[in-house]
Amino acid sequence: MTVTSANPEILSELDRPNSYIGKVVPRPNLERLMQGRGLYVSDMELPRMAHVVFLRSPHAHAKIVGIDATEARRLPGVIAVVDRPGACSGYYALGRRTLAFEGPQIGAAARDCD
Amino acid sequence: MTAPVPISLEVNGERVDAHVLPRLNLADFLREHLELTGTHVGCEHGVCGACTVRVNGDIIRSCLMLAVQAHGASVQTIEGLSDSGEVADLQAAFRDRNALQCGYCTPGMLMAAQDLLMQQAEPGREQIREHLSGNYCRCTGYQAVVDAVETTARRRAGRQT
């Protein structure tokens, strides 16, 4: 579905040295972007790709006493539930016992894309 | 209400039959079921305008409409408008004025701008701004977009007379 531009082998006036100076240079990707045919990260679908849902704290200041994820694990299609401190090192808040502000990620669940 | 519901609609002139979950919104239906990814999802709550599509002639936020609500409707997306050539002059004006950078908001901008130009032959800059006020751009800015829409309006009016 991508739109290919004119043959890149053919050199234009803009390929000469310093020819860009003072010139309007056409952007080769504009056509497909304007037609809705660009490829953004959210447009990509990879093999065995999963969706992730982050659980955020509903409290502004609280201690995590425990997270009960049994119901989440029971749902069909759920691949993993990450809720233990340090289980996901990329997220500092996941390994933190005291929450200092509302909304940090305290857990994550991955699910297949149907 | 968790079982898939059969729907039948027209998308870009083609008939589409599908089974969708009742909670699926139209934007996700177009993007994930039909792979029409030109309809973008930005804020997911009707503010940014990136998901603007045309349903039965009116532009709507496809993130705020359920796919099941589009049953029996005629939907047009940026891919449809591009292929039919309906917005070819508008796209050319956007290109000439460099009215986009990343292009994420552009399909929605084009849908909204075309909607205005269909309603009004020669809108003023304030009217253009007002009509595009529900479409957010986070990189290029609006000056070039308004210029491009204004130029297109003038050219279309010139061609008619």
Side-chain angles (χ1 to χ4, degrees):
Chain A
M1 292 283 275
T2 49
V3 178
T4 49
S5 58
N7 188 353
E9 303 274 305
I10 299 167
L11 297 177
S12 76
E13 204 178 319
L14 292 167
D15 293 299
R16 291 212 315 269
N18 297 331
S19 58
Y20 290 92
I21 298 167
K23 287 260 172 63
V24 175
V25 180
R27 282 171 53 195
N29 61 349
L30 282 190
E31 295 302 323
R32 62 182 165 82
L33 292 181
M34 289 191 295
Q35 291 174 8
R37 289 178 170 125
L39 186 66
Y40 295 87
V41 176
S42 56
D43 299 332
M44 291 177 183
E45 207 158 312
L46 301 170
R48 296 181 290 115
M49 191 168 86
H51 285 297
V52 65
V53 174
F54 290 102
L55 172 70
R56 290 170 190 278
S57 167
H59 307 295
H61 190 89
K63 273 200 172 79
I64 303 173
V65 181
I67 297 171
D68 185 4
T70 43
E71 206 175 319
R73 284 200 175 84
R74 254 207 310 270
L75 286 170
V78 171
I79 297 164
V81 177
V82 180
D83 60 353
R84 275 178 206 104
C88 183
S89 57
Y91 291 96
Y92 183 55
L94 281 169
R96 207 165 152 186
R97 298 283 285 278
T98 311
L99 303 171
F101 55 93
E102 199 167 320
Q105 286 128 12
I106 56 174
R111 206 199 143 142
D112 64 24
C113 313
D114 299 319
Chain B
M1 287 295 280
T2 52
V5 176
I7 58 167
S8 165
L9 64 158
E10 196 187 272
V11 179
N12 296 333
E14 266 177 51
R15 195 187 146 153
V16 173
D17 298 295
H19 282 79
V20 297
L21 290 175
R23 63 183 170 83
L24 184 76
N25 67 40
L26 182 59
D28 286 342
F29 174 69
L30 293 169
R31 291 175 51 78
E32 288 163 22
H33 288 238
L34 306 184
E35 293 180 41
L36 294 169
T37 53
T39 301
H40 292 147
V41 177
C43 69
E44 296 185 64
H45 61 261
V47 178
C48 76
C51 67
T52 306
V53 299
R54 201 191 272 163
V55 176
N56 293 334
D58 292 319
I59 52 167
I60 58 110
R61 303 270 194 258
S62 60
C63 73
L64 293 184
M65 185 174 183
L66 295 169
V68 290
Q69 290 176 296
H71 176 68
S74 168
V75 178
Q76 280 169 304
T77 70
I78 188 63
E79 290 92 342
L81 264 59
S82 298
D83 290 349
S84 71
E86 186 183 329
V87 291
D89 54 348
L90 195 55
Q91 287 165 329
F94 266 60
R95 185 187 54 232
D96 293 344
R97 192 60 187 81
N98 203 31
L100 60 146
Q101 279 185 52
C102 81
Y104 200 79
C105 70
T106 310
M109 287 276 185
L110 292 166
M111 298 299 293
Q114 175 63 5
D115 181 64
L116 173 66
L117 295 178
M118 282 164 75
Q119 291 172 24
Q120 203 147 6
E122 258 191 287
R125 291 184 72 85
E126 275 314 303
Q127 279 174 295
I128 295 169
R129 283 189 180 274
E130 175 66 29
H131 205 82
L132 297 178
S133 62
N135 290 77
Y136 286 10
C137 166
R138 302 281 82 156
C139 54
T140 310
Y142 304 97
Q143 194 72 22
V145 174
V146 175
D147 288 348
V149 178
E150 193 182 31
T151 304
T152 309
R154 283 208 193 115
R155 283 191 191 140
R156 285 188 190 178
R159 198 188 306 149
Q160 280 159 12
T161 51

